[in-house]
């Protein structure tokens, strides 16, 4: 289930990014109307897209990539299947923790499980 939580989280982040990009396309049509009240929403949408993209980058490059390489390097020292399962469980736990899914202050894990 940890894989499901982790990859569902990443997929949902991609989904949110895609929806924000769709909003951007829709706002481009209204840009010619010079609606002054919409300027804060344009700025907010752009910052939200930036946050989504930065977080997705963080997940893939800073969390999953290094932890996967650590897992692959540690496979050389595995002697038994139990060692392998323990190593793999540690990999998943680190990925969940570093991706902020199991952080008690966010409550994401409780709301998704």
């Amino acid at each position: 289930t940890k894989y499901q939580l982790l990859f569902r989280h990443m997929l949902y982040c991609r989904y949110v990014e895609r929806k924000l990009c769709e909003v951007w396309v829709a706002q481009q049509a209204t840009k010619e109307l010079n609606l002054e009240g919409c300027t804060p929403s344009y700025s907010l949408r752009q910052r939200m897209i930036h946050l989504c993209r930065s977080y997705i980058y963080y997940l893939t490059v800073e969390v999953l990539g290094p932890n996967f390489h650590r897992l692959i390097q540690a496979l050389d020292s595995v002697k038994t299947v139990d060692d392998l399962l323990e190593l793999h469980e540690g990999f998943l736990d680190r990925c969940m923790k570093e991706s902020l899914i199991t952080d008690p202050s966010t409550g994401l894990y409780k709301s998704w499980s």
Side-chain angles (χ1 to χ4, degrees):
T1 60
K2 290 181 183 180
Y3 271 117
Q4 287 178 336
L5 284 173
L6 191 59
F7 286 103
R8 186 182 334 153
H9 180 61
M10 288 183 62
L11 184 63
Y12 186 71
C13 288
R14 288 281 185 195
Y15 173 77
V16 169
E17 178 192 13
R18 184 174 178 190
K19 288 298 179 183
L20 286 169
C21 289
E22 288 175 10
V23 170
W24 177 82
V25 169
Q27 284 182 337
Q28 291 304 305
T30 63
K31 191 175 181 181
E32 298 170 356
L33 300 175
N34 292 329
L35 300 173
E36 293 192 23
C38 291
T39 303
S41 67
Y42 295 155
S43 176
L44 176 62
R45 182 221 357 105
Q46 194 60 35
R47 287 184 298 204
M48 290 170 69
I49 289 174
H50 178 71
L51 175 69
C52 281
R53 288 180 178 162
S54 296
Y55 183 66
I56 291 167
Y57 174 84
Y58 168 75
L59 282 178
T60 55
V61 176
E62 301 290 330
V63 175
L64 293 176
N67 283 320
F68 180 73
H69 288 294
R70 239 183 271 139
L71 174 69
I72 296 299
Q73 289 174 350
L75 286 177
D76 294 335
S77 64
V78 170
K79 303 281 190 234
T80 66
V81 175
D82 289 334
D83 291 343
L84 176 65
L85 291 174
E86 183 180 324
L87 184 66
H88 185 255
E89 190 69 24
F91 162 75
L92 289 174
D93 288 340
R94 274 192 313 278
C95 287
M96 298 271 294
K97 181 182 175 207
E98 291 176 17
S99 64
L100 308 176
I101 293 176
T102 56
D103 186 13
S105 63
T106 62
L108 291 175
Y109 185 76
K110 288 180 183 176
S111 65
W112 288 348
S113 57

